[in-house]
Amino acid sequence: GVKHSNLEGLRLRIMQLYLQYVRTPKFNPEARRYTRLALPDPPQTKRSEGRRDIEFCHSCSKFLPRSSFNMSAGSASLAQCQACRRLDNDARTRLDLSLYKSLLDSIKAEEEARNNLASPAFILQESDIRFIVENIWNSRSVLSGLGDLFDLRLARWECEKEWSPWNCILLSRE
């Protein structure tokens, strides 16, 4: 399924690497006779020591030097090179929850002012407030229909009960 013209570079690279391999006396002792310089005999080492600094990146499917990978103490293998990790990090979508954090902070401040420190508001996170605002109240004030999240707040439905996700309503600040 691959065009012949697309394989030209790959074939040339494989041929160059093979010729380099054949010319290396470490792997081909007969090549020593055809070199112009008298090379000393290489020390006897294991064959696998020649390429220990090369690792395989599972993301881009390339063999790269070990210096292209971030090695951490807890990892058993090197899965992604630095370039693939950077690309993966850049490609991930981020969600700004600062608006929901300010909503949650105002709820917590109100509960603290009422000396109600056992409120469920203190165990909620910004993503929980986002879910309440977007999925339950459709990001709109119940009374005015206002959709500007900067002007909305989650108020108590029943004022005498503590604030909770089941006892709140999304209203504009007016």
Side-chain angles (χ1 to χ4, degrees):
V2 180
K3 294 180 183 177
H4 179 71
S5 60
N6 292 344
L7 295 176
E8 290 293 323
L10 182 61
R11 287 187 180 116
L12 182 64
R13 184 174 174 210
I14 290 172
M15 184 178 70
Q16 292 295 327
L17 288 172
Y18 176 74
L19 290 175
Q20 182 182 0
Y21 178 77
V22 169
R23 290 180 188 147
T24 306
K26 180 179 179 181
F27 303 110
N28 182 8
E30 287 296 313
R32 187 174 305 285
R33 293 187 345 184
Y34 299 102
T35 58
R36 293 183 184 166
L37 299 173
L39 298 173
D41 288 334
Q44 296 298 325
T45 59
K46 295 180 183 174
R47 191 172 190 144
S48 63
E49 285 184 16
R51 290 289 186 176
R52 275 198 188 161
D53 62 334
I54 302 294
E55 295 290 338
F56 181 72
C57 175
H58 295 284
S59 294
C60 62
S61 300
K62 293 181 181 176
F63 287 97
L64 300 168
R66 188 171 279 197
S67 61
S68 298
F69 292 85
N70 286 335
M71 186 67 174
S72 62
S75 67
S77 65
L78 304 171
Q80 279 186 328
C81 65
Q82 291 173 351
C84 290
R85 187 171 292 205
R86 190 176 312 111
L87 179 66
D88 180 51
N89 186 27
D90 291 343
R92 290 196 184 272
T93 57
R94 305 277 191 307
L95 188 61
D96 183 21
L97 296 175
S98 60
L99 180 63
Y100 302 104
K101 181 177 181 348
S102 66
L103 276 172
L104 182 60
D105 289 343
S106 67
I107 294 167
K108 288 179 180 180
E110 186 178 324
E111 292 300 306
E112 284 178 359
R114 293 181 183 227
N115 204 15
N116 187 9
L117 301 177
S119 172
F122 293 103
I123 60 171
L124 291 178
Q125 297 177 348
E126 292 88 2
S127 58
D128 300 325
I129 299 298
R130 177 178 169 253
F131 180 83
I132 293 169
V133 170
E134 290 181 359
N135 295 334
I136 296 175
W137 298 110
N138 202 18
S139 301
R140 299 218 172 267
S141 171
V142 176
L143 297 178
S144 66
L146 184 68
D148 185 12
L149 293 177
F150 291 101
D151 292 333
L152 297 177
R153 63 183 292 260
L154 284 167
R156 293 178 183 202
W157 174 251
E158 295 182 43
C159 293
E160 64 278 353
K161 292 185 179 178
E162 69 181 7
W163 187 95
S164 64
W166 50 91
N167 184 31
C168 70
I169 185 170
L170 189 63
L171 299 173
S172 59
R173 294 192 187 270
E174 297 171 357

